[in-house]
Amino acid sequence: MIPISDNVRCWNKPIVNYWLIGINIAVFLWELKLEFGDELGYFVNSWGLIPYQITGAIQTAVFLNFAAWIVVIWRLFSLIFNIFLHGSFSQILGNLLFLWVFGKTVENILGHKRYLGFYLGAGVVTSVAQILAEPSLKVPLIGANGAIAAVLGAYIIKFPQGKIYSVLPLIILYIPLELPAFLYIFWWFVQQLFYGIGSLNIPPLGVNQSGVIFWGQLVGLLFGAGFMRFKTLMRWLNFR
């Protein structure tokens, strides 16, 4: 199933969503350039989320090691930067396709600045969840999966009856479909199984080789749903 659009009308241009998609594409093109020069492994291991590096630096810094605190601060940048890195063609195509369809509607609801904060905040929350789930992991975790799961969670809470215009490709025949939005929560998690297709060569250990990334996506989904529930509740209280 390939989502194309939804039936929710957007009155404002999703400028932030366009920028997020553009930045993801630009960074992935840079990754391709680095792969041809055999420099991709160093780049991803420097800016990807490696739980062991963060937890190890924090443990050292607790003993008032000033240099370790510098490492902690530097590694904390990976909590956000890792969501703009991708490890395969299928991962970035799948992520950006869902971001294109669902992100524009969520941005229209939240507004440009709040949507940007929501997206980046979801990335940080899911990154922290992945660190807590497996603090000794030495393999980089990258991808916008958690942030986009949050966008999906927010969308489903706001538009539980929304319809997604989709295409079902069958070899050379493409069948147009109109599917309920909640079905794409299930499909979102299913398609993660195929994100290894077209993987980039990222030495020494590759990326996203742990099931911990699925926990990050689940946390992202709950974060997005909870955020939208809270926003709706606050609006309801203000009207009373």
Side-chain angles (χ1 to χ4, degrees), residues 113-126:
K113 293 181 180 179
R114 188 175 296 176
Y115 174 70
L116 178 60
F118 167 78
Y119 185 88
L120 296 179
V124 171
V125 169
T126 56

Side-chain angles (χ1 to χ4, degrees), residues 8-30:
V8 181
R9 183 156 186 187
C10 295
W11 299 99
N12 300 311
K13 287 187 177 181
I15 299 174
V16 173
N17 210 50
Y18 291 156
W19 271 101
L20 289 174
I21 292 173
I23 292 172
N24 275 282
I25 293 175
V27 172
F28 189 73
L29 292 176
W30 180 253

Side-chain angles (χ1 to χ4, degrees), residues 113-184:
K113 293 181 180 179
R114 188 175 296 176
Y115 174 70
L116 178 60
F118 167 78
Y119 185 88
L120 296 179
V124 171
V125 169
T126 56
S127 294
V128 171
Q130 291 169 341
I131 294 173
L132 295 176
E134 197 166 340
S136 61
L137 183 66
K138 298 182 180 180
V139 177
L141 300 173
I142 60 176
N145 306 48
I148 296 175
V151 171
L152 272 174
Y155 185 99
I156 295 300
I157 292 298
K158 188 65 177 180
F159 302 104
Q161 304 300 324
K163 300 296 183 181
I164 309 300
Y165 303 120
S166 312
V167 171
L168 179 63
L170 294 174
I171 306 178
I172 60 174
L173 179 64
Y174 287 81
I175 303 175
L177 300 171
E178 185 179 287
L179 300 171
F182 72 86
L183 181 62
Y184 271 94

